[in-house]
Amino acid sequence: MLFNEARFFVFFALAFAVHWALRTNGSRKAWLLLCSCAFYGAWDWRFLGLMAVSILIDYATGRALTTVSTTGARRAWLVLSLCANLGILGFFKYYGFFVDSATELLKSLGFETSERTLQIVLPVGISFFTFQSMSYTIDVYRRGIEAVKSFTDFALFVAFFPQLVAGPIVRAVDFIPQLATKRLWRDVEVRACLVLFLAGFIKKACIADNIAPTLDSVFKDPSAFDAASNWIALALYHVQIYCDFSGYSDMAIAAAGLLGYKLTLNFNFPYLTSNIAEWWRRWHISLSSWFRDYLYIPLGGNRRGSWRTFFNLYVVFLLCGLWHGANWNFLAWGAFHGTLLAVHRAWGDRHAPQQAGSAVVLAKWCATTLAVLWGWLIFRGEGATKTLAMFEIQLGLEPGGTNHLDLWWVAFFASALLVHVLANRAVLREPIERVSNATFAVVYGCAWALTLPWLASGYTPFIYFQF
Amino acid sequence: MCGYVVLAALGFASTSWLVSRVVPWPEDYGLRAKYDYFKQHKDEYDVAFVGSSRLFRGVDPRIVDAGLREQGVEARSINLAIGGMTGFESDFFVREIVRLEPARLKVIVLEDQPWDPNSYFLGNTFSSRNVFWHTPAETVSALRSVWSVDAPLTDHVEWSWTHARLCAMKLANVAQGPRIALDLLGKSRDPLRRALSTEQLAEGAGFQALDDLISGEFNPWREKLLANQEGFRAMVAAIPEQNARPVDLSRYNFKALGAQHAAAASIGAELVRLLPPGSTGQPEALELARTGAYAHTLDYNDPARFPRFFELEWRFDEHHLNRAGAQELSRLIGIDLAPLLKRTH
């Protein structure tokens, strides 16, 4: 079930109405857990069992970590939990990739290999709920949080439907305390949530989905298009992936907010940043902070000298790339960003002027945007040959084809950027907060009526569902 | 809170209604072109033909008019049939014609089609064209048909949900923004590039023979018929037997039929059912004609009475007549319609 599907609106209306109609906190949590199972089961009910295994392992580990006292036993429980979680993730997400890669390698060395590999279905959201579940176990191990006593609370923490399949990756320390007390309707920021949901819906269904078919045709065959079209397609992908993923996150945060729960911010206007380190502090915040807290810092972070810092950055970003999918382009994308961050760290800070003028800021923004764009080329490109072809056509090293995209698509990119700037400055917040409830309700209804005509006619799944 | 929900719903409904005023008709196969043309010339016609490509490619109004003239009836007819039109879409189209209140229209000749709720244009369930006919009235009628079919409950629920979604998409103008924008910019065009120009409509009165199409897109159908002549003959031979089969009308959507007749009657027009030469029997239509549910029926799907319609010489493919076949069918229709038109005049 997707947030922009008609059936989600029916589902959410029911979940919302019953949730607030129930009187006790326990019954509300049980209801939300049931809704979450239905939400996930709507995709494929068989994988509910897989999620249940993940939940059971980490719930049991959490309980065990509170009862055992020796460091060795605690470590053993942690290792058991991590192995189980990473084992499940590795099997469902990476088994095929590694077997296929090994087969290719053996073939290139002249060995006879069997073509048969297991065709494994990738369970939706497995990377998200596994990381969320693992963060809980690690936090309990570090004594950062108390282990959860209630199984329902823990299961709801992992399976809470607004963030289940594409994040944000919520930390136990942020979410589980919210389960302890009954949510109150008066605490819900209704207007903010409703506006955020609509904004997310527009980003996903009206912007990202309308762009998708156009840029898909260029990425499929870049050499059939001229250089300008190859640039436009890449710029459009820049817009698409942001609108698709941040749109989903907005809807997730808003849906959770309407049920009385607060989720972590996942995007903070990343395309306005003028350096790559800052970009990573604003893009997919819940994942980048996860890697920072559970991998980069434990590896030593930047406290063990320059070379070790570079090494740590590479490890983290290679794994970050691999987290996105079992494919070489994601690994290459991770390595590319690891390199950018290493360069930024080695050179950028040292040479940054104390008070940069607007021209310098603009130049840095352009350089960062260009780097991110080429990162997306690696990320989105359909194989090394086509990615390289697109890159060469963009730089004029190859002539490209005669097909071209209309230039008005550039206006699409510019307007998306403008909205980004306006939203960052929160220019809409004040009028939204100032009007009466009745006016807000009417305007909100009108806004939906003006939004729906701009829905893309085709169906495009969320990009991050595959991760 | 309920009050605010109502206010939001009112805001939504009123804005959607305003937007719906500027949603253009779907352009597919010249649907919009024919509607717009008829809207401009609505008071010039006495007879309108509505149905699928079997009528679009099979009835030449100029020959119908000549046939009527031979019988002493001066009348003008127009072919408003469109490729891919289904039973419910035809019904919607009839209602839209009636809404225009054409002053002279006395007969609407409607291709006989079942009230099949699950036949969609080109099999694309959520196409603009399928969404377009899902007005609340048509949707209720389609839902009635959905529940009159013998099928498992899960199918009924799924089909009903599909029609409810299509109706919601119609009411909320889902995905119509680009079409509205293009239309306002004067750049609206047929996505399948099959629209008829005003000149073509004026000259051919909405008829276009398949033989005249230069795109060649229908040639595979022709080739299929030529390659499978024995099979086609066997299908034709089975028509009498199929027509003789007993029919159970107990679950027929009589409400939809009654509403259609009432709509036509509201402008003083009569509905005539046309069974064009096909390749399968239509026992349900014949039974409806026998029982009087169809007030007027023109049946040409009868190999015994009209053998030449079922020969390759007058056929383009299994389902459609060629130009020669269309000319003969149109002539016969003109003769057969004359008594009714004499009465209505």
Side-chain angles (χ1 to χ4, degrees), chain B residues 70-196:
Chain B
E70 277 175 25
Q71 303 298 312
V73 179
E74 275 302 323
R76 275 189 79 189
S77 51
I78 185 166
N79 186 332
L80 296 175
I82 303 291
M85 199 171 258
T86 60
F88 281 105
E89 193 183 11
S90 297
D91 187 60
F92 165 77
F93 202 75
V94 167
R95 285 168 198 270
E96 290 300 308
I97 290 172
V98 167
R99 268 160 50 103
L100 295 174
E101 297 182 352
R104 277 173 55 184
L105 196 69
K106 291 286 171 261
V107 173
I108 300 172
V109 182
L110 196 56
E111 179 184 352
D112 176 68
Q113 288 178 305
W115 297 105
D116 179 1
N118 297 319
S119 66
Y120 301 111
F121 172 62
L122 292 180
N124 180 1
T125 309
F126 295 102
S127 68
S128 280
R129 190 160 153 190
N130 284 334
V131 169
F132 200 68
W133 65 257
H134 272 85
T135 57
E138 292 298 339
T139 306
V140 167
S141 191
L143 289 173
R144 200 173 285 127
S145 282
V146 160
W147 289 91
S148 70
V149 175
D150 272 328
L153 180 67
T154 48
D155 286 354
H156 283 138
V157 171
E158 192 188 325
W159 297 337
S160 301
W161 173 240
T162 300
H163 285 288
R165 274 183 71 183
L166 285 161
C167 183
M169 286 169 78
K170 161 82 178 173
L171 296 176
N173 311 299
V174 170
Q176 299 304 315
R179 294 185 61 239
I180 295 169
L182 285 171
D183 193 53
L184 293 175
L185 292 169
K187 290 185 175 176
S188 181
R189 65 176 173 82
D190 180 0
L192 301 170
R193 296 173 192 275
R194 291 166 183 146
L196 297 163

Side-chain angles (χ1 to χ4, degrees), chain A residues 5-7 10 16 185 210 437-450 452-457, chain B residues 1 3-5 7-16 19 126 161 165 172-178 180-181:
Chain A
E5 274 185 85
R7 59 181 177 157
V10 177
F16 174 85
W185 175 247
N210 274 312
N437 283 346
T439 309
F440 176 82
V442 173
V443 171
Y444 191 69
C446 295
W448 271 101
L450 293 172
L452 294 178
W454 296 98
L455 250 65
S457 50
Chain B
M1 186 173 147
Y4 298 130
V5 173
L7 281 174
L10 283 175
F12 179 81
S14 55
T15 310
S16 294
V19 174
F126 295 102
W161 173 240
R165 274 183 71 183
N173 311 299
V174 170
Q176 299 304 315
I180 295 169

Side-chain angles (χ1 to χ4, degrees), chain A residues 164-418:
Chain A
L164 175 59
V165 291
I169 301 167
V170 180
R171 303 286 181 86
V173 70
D174 295 325
F175 190 79
I176 287 172
Q178 297 184 56
L179 297 170
T181 51
K182 188 177 161 185
R183 303 284 93 193
L184 298 173
W185 175 247
R186 65 167 180 265
D187 294 336
V188 175
E189 294 175 25
V190 181
R191 287 191 196 184
C193 289
L194 291 175
V195 171
L196 189 64
F197 193 91
L198 178 60
F201 186 87
I202 291 171
K203 281 185 196 173
K204 162 63 186 158
C206 302
I207 300 177
D209 289 358
N210 274 312
I211 293 174
T214 303
L215 64 92
D216 283 351
S217 61
V218 182
F219 275 94
K220 251 180 207 146
D221 189 7
S223 49
F225 289 83
D226 59 16
S229 301
N230 274 278
W231 276 111
I232 292 170
L234 189 57
L236 289 178
Y237 186 66
H238 193 60
V239 176
Q240 189 207 356
I241 193 164
Y242 170 74
C243 288
D244 191 280
F245 191 20
S246 76
Y248 181 89
S249 289
D250 289 347
M251 286 189 272
I253 292 167
L258 287 170
L259 296 168
Y261 294 93
K262 285 190 168 64
L263 299 184
T264 324
L265 184 70
N266 219 14
F267 291 88
N268 187 18
F269 307 103
Y271 289 170
L272 298 181
T273 60
S274 53
N275 76 64
I276 198 70
E278 182 66 17
W279 190 83
W280 272 105
R281 282 192 284 272
R282 289 163 171 248
W283 175 269
H284 202 176
I285 298 166
S286 63
L287 179 73
S288 52
S289 61
W290 195 101
F291 274 107
R292 182 195 64 209
D293 295 345
Y294 298 109
L295 192 62
Y296 182 68
I297 291 172
L299 283 172
N302 56 6
R303 299 186 306 271
R304 297 189 187 172
S306 297
W307 290 108
R308 183 57 193 256
T309 303
F310 296 154
F311 173 79
N312 291 344
L313 280 172
Y314 263 99
V315 169
V316 165
F317 277 91
L318 280 175
L319 289 173
C320 178
L322 198 60
W323 177 91
H324 284 81
N327 213 325
W328 289 104
N329 62 325
F330 296 127
L331 266 175
W333 176 76
F336 177 75
H337 272 277
T339 307
L340 289 177
L341 279 159
V343 169
H344 170 77
R345 184 154 198 91
W347 188 83
D349 286 347
R350 228 172 288 161
H351 293 79
Q354 288 300 309
Q355 283 189 326
S358 52
V360 175
V361 171
L362 183 65
K364 285 174 74 178
W365 177 83
C366 288
T368 306
T369 302
L370 188 64
V372 172
L373 276 171
W374 276 332
W376 291 138
L377 172 58
I378 299 167
F379 189 90
R380 171 66 177 80
E382 300 196 357
T385 314
K386 285 181 185 173
T387 301
L388 198 61
M390 197 166 187
F391 184 66
E392 286 175 341
I393 293 164
Q394 284 176 346
L395 294 183
L397 303 172
E398 287 290 329
T402 51
N403 293 351
H404 66 273
L405 296 181
D406 289 337
L407 266 177
W408 66 266
W409 281 107
V410 177
F412 209 108
F413 173 68
S415 56
L417 204 64
L418 182 68

Side-chain angles (χ1 to χ4, degrees), chain A residues 19-265:
Chain A
H19 170 72
W20 289 110
L22 292 169
R23 295 200 170 183
T24 65
N25 192 27
S27 58
R28 283 181 180 179
K29 287 188 287 190
W31 167 247
L32 287 181
L33 184 59
L34 185 70
C35 289
S36 300
C37 291
F39 181 84
Y40 197 71
W43 167 70
D44 191 333
W45 61 269
R46 291 169 302 174
F47 286 107
L48 277 171
L50 186 72
M51 191 168 66
V53 168
S54 185
I55 289 170
L56 278 169
I57 289 168
D58 286 298
Y59 176 73
T61 306
R63 297 307 308 152
L65 286 171
T66 56
T67 51
V68 297
S69 53
T70 63
T71 308
R74 286 173 60 78
R75 188 168 292 167
W77 272 105
L78 177 69
V79 169
L80 179 76
S81 161
L82 294 182
C83 287
N85 277 305
L86 293 174
I88 292 170
L89 186 63
F91 178 74
F92 281 97
K93 193 160 180 176
Y94 303 109
Y95 176 84
F97 169 65
F98 286 121
V99 170
D100 288 347
S101 300
T103 309
E104 286 296 315
L105 180 68
L106 289 171
K107 261 191 193 168
S108 66
L109 294 173
F111 292 99
E112 287 283 318
T113 56
S114 163
E115 290 288 338
R116 282 184 300 164
T117 54
L118 283 175
Q119 295 298 312
I120 301 164
V121 178
L122 178 65
V124 166
I126 188 169
S127 305
F128 290 93
F129 69 72
T130 305
F131 268 45
Q132 189 158 314
S133 196
M134 274 167 35
S135 76
Y136 162 80
T137 313
I138 298 169
D139 285 347
V140 173
Y141 173 77
R142 287 173 174 175
R143 300 187 200 281
I145 54 168
E146 290 278 319
V148 182
K149 283 182 188 156
S150 158
F151 178 74
T152 308
D153 281 12
F154 183 71
L156 186 57
F157 157 65
V158 178
F160 187 45
F161 72 83
Q163 46 82 55
L164 175 59
V165 291
I169 301 167
V170 180
R171 303 286 181 86
V173 70
D174 295 325
F175 190 79
I176 287 172
Q178 297 184 56
L179 297 170
T181 51
K182 188 177 161 185
R183 303 284 93 193
L184 298 173
W185 175 247
R186 65 167 180 265
D187 294 336
V188 175
E189 294 175 25
V190 181
R191 287 191 196 184
C193 289
L194 291 175
V195 171
L196 189 64
F197 193 91
L198 178 60
F201 186 87
I202 291 171
K203 281 185 196 173
K204 162 63 186 158
C206 302
I207 300 177
D209 289 358
N210 274 312
I211 293 174
T214 303
L215 64 92
D216 283 351
S217 61
V218 182
F219 275 94
K220 251 180 207 146
D221 189 7
S223 49
F225 289 83
D226 59 16
S229 301
N230 274 278
W231 276 111
I232 292 170
L234 189 57
L236 289 178
Y237 186 66
H238 193 60
V239 176
Q240 189 207 356
I241 193 164
Y242 170 74
C243 288
D244 191 280
F245 191 20
S246 76
Y248 181 89
S249 289
D250 289 347
M251 286 189 272
I253 292 167
L258 287 170
L259 296 168
Y261 294 93
K262 285 190 168 64
L263 299 184
T264 324
L265 184 70

